[in-house]
Amino acid sequence: MKTDIRVGEVMTRGVVTLDAAESVLEAAKVMKKNNFGSVVITRKGRAVGIITERDIVLKLVLIGKNARNTKTGDAMSRPLKTISASSTLADAAERLRNLKIKRLPVVDEKDRLVGMITDDDLVRIYPGLIDVLLEEADIQKFGKNEEFTGACEKCGVYSEELARESGKLLCSECIEEEEV
């Protein structure tokens, strides 16, 4: 089914990482430079946690800790919650909701970090997903090879042989134009 879109198709590729020994101040600089709200934290090259803007506010700013002297490994959220690139968007949305978080690092079949999926990614593709769902509902309702009678949705000319093409009912002339 077309609505089984995979996380790997939508995620932001590549992930900004910092070692757990780096300062929180460095993490904040990296976030600002890249316009990201988080940085994945590593130890010996392995992803072990994530530090977010929220972590910085709640774990440092509110209690008066110094970002220059605090290591990212001490302020990060852990354990690192991830999702597989082969998981569906529905799985990602459910995991984000259940964990009450806004971003999930994406891993491949060998558990290597390959991207990030965020609630913003889901919102960005939502309109297109709705179009796909509506088109699938029409296909199931009317059948893929059904012919329709009415006005072409592109040129407005009446036809007794309209066909569904790209989610619209089109006459044969407009379908030929779409293919060119």
Side-chain angles (χ1 to χ4, degrees):
M1 179 187 271
K2 179 71 174 155
T3 56
D4 289 340
I5 299 169
R6 303 293 167 189
V7 168
E9 298 173 49
V10 176
M11 70 182 183
T12 300
R13 298 193 184 285
V15 181
V16 175
T17 63
L18 274 179
D19 190 86
E22 292 286 343
S23 72
V24 172
L25 179 61
E26 184 62 25
K29 288 178 182 178
V30 168
M31 284 185 221
K32 180 180 180 195
K33 177 183 173 192
N34 293 289
N35 197 28
F36 290 152
S38 66
V39 176
V40 174
I41 305 304
T42 61
R43 275 199 185 101
K44 297 180 183 172
R46 179 151 168 74
V48 293
I50 188 169
I51 189 162
T52 65
E53 295 163 326
R54 188 172 196 268
D55 290 325
I56 293 171
V57 169
L58 297 178
K59 296 176 182 175
L60 275 79
V61 175
L62 280 177
I63 58 176
K65 279 191 171 181
N66 186 322
R68 189 181 315 272
N69 299 329
T70 305
K71 303 295 179 207
T72 55
D74 297 329
M76 70 183 177
S77 294
R78 62 179 172 245
L80 184 63
K81 309 285 195 258
T82 63
I83 192 161
S84 168
S86 62
S87 296
T88 66
L89 287 186
D91 294 335
E94 183 177 359
R95 189 150 168 81
L96 287 167
R97 184 188 71 231
N98 290 343
L99 293 171
K100 297 179 180 158
I101 57 178
K102 295 180 179 197
R103 56 190 65 86
L104 273 170
V106 180
V107 294
D108 66 10
E109 64 281 347
K110 294 182 181 176
D111 209 30
R112 295 177 297 201
L113 207 50
V114 293
M116 184 78 73
I117 184 108
T118 67
D119 55 356
D120 284 344
D121 294 327
L122 298 177
V123 169
R124 178 175 44 83
I125 63 119
Y126 181 77
L129 189 56
I130 292 299
D131 290 343
V132 169
L133 291 171
L134 290 172
E135 187 170 333
E136 282 187 0
D138 282 348
I139 289 169
Q140 288 179 8
K141 183 176 176 183
F142 299 113
K144 203 168 194 137
N145 297 321
E146 296 279 342
E147 288 188 354
F148 301 88
T149 299
C152 173
E153 291 183 50
K154 185 173 182 183
C155 68
V157 173
Y158 177 83
S159 173
E160 293 182 3
E161 298 176 359
L162 295 174
R164 188 164 299 284
E165 184 73 28
S166 303
K168 295 181 179 177
L169 292 176
L170 302 178
C171 65
S172 58
E173 289 83 17
C174 288
I175 289 173
E176 285 177 20
E177 286 178 19
E178 293 268 322
E179 292 173 353
V180 175

